[in-house]
Amino acid sequence: MSGDKKRIAVLISGRGSNMKALIEAARAPEFPAEIVLVLSNKSDAPGLESAARASIETLAISHKDFFSREAFDQALVEALEAARIDLVCLAGFMRIFSPVFIKAWQGRTINIHPALLPSFKGLNTHAQALEAGVTIHGCTVHFVTEDLDAGPIIVQAAVPVLGNDTEATLSGRVLAMEHRIYPQALSLVASGQVRIEGCRVVRNKKGSGDQMLISPEPDLQ
Ligand code: GRF
């Protein structure tokens, strides 16, 4: 099926554990997408090394080399076009896009956020969740729009918040779910099983079920 597979670029700024989960999932012959490029705004991002070890093309484009957010975004757009990318996966990419990127890639860019959106947008989501005293937390894969952490939701997963949780224990539990739902969401988008309708994501095939929320692992309850 290689010829039909969507060509994916993963954009990272750091360790790239979600990137690795996507690379791993895309090894399956039936997976509808292949990771052909890992791009980072930081040349020392550890994820770049992991990607190179997995024989995936890597590219570093530093935002510091550009005089404006728009100029950096334009360079990204051109690099993605040059690599004939179909879909972009943001995986810990710590840059906010200008309309230059959004206009070119809206509807073809997805992101993973470590909270159950629309709760806890922005940074330090696990601290925000602990502070708010929620008993359920989680993660979200969504389409990227101009509004930060607010695009149409593709898949979410929930985990319990335990009484003795710290940011570290809670983030570890959420991260394990991130690694499960990001490949699942990419598969749904790449295979054309979902579409955007207004501000929501809907399934294309009636009766295929809305398995958008994964229950907590039994041993975590
Ligand atoms: C993840 O928690 C992701 O949800 C957030 O940034 C973190 C990146 O981690 N957007 P990694 O680089 O994928 O390990």
Side-chain angles (χ1 to χ4, degrees), residues 58 78 84 87 89 104 125 129-130 138 166 180 183:
T58 61
E78 284 167 18
R84 293 178 292 112
L87 290 169
C89 293
T125 54
L130 290 172
T166 61
R180 287 177 55 180

Side-chain angles (χ1 to χ4, degrees), residues 56-77:
I56 290 169
E57 190 187 328
T58 61
L59 185 60
I61 302 180
S62 172
H63 55 282
K64 293 185 183 154
D65 292 342
F66 296 86
F67 62 93
S68 69
R69 195 173 287 280
E70 288 74 14
F72 171 67
D73 282 4
Q74 185 56 37
L76 288 185
V77 167

Side-chain angles (χ1 to χ4, degrees), residues 19 41 44 50 66-67 72 76 83 86-87 108 115 118 123 133-134 144 160 167 172 176 193 195 205 208 213:
M19 171 209 78
N41 64 314
D44 59 352
S50 323
F66 296 86
F67 62 93
F72 171 67
L76 288 185
D86 297 308
L87 290 169
R108 296 187 295 153
L123 298 174
V134 294
V144 171
E167 268 188 74
Q193 287 183 68
R195 69 176 186 281
K205 216 168 91 192
S208 61
L213 184 75

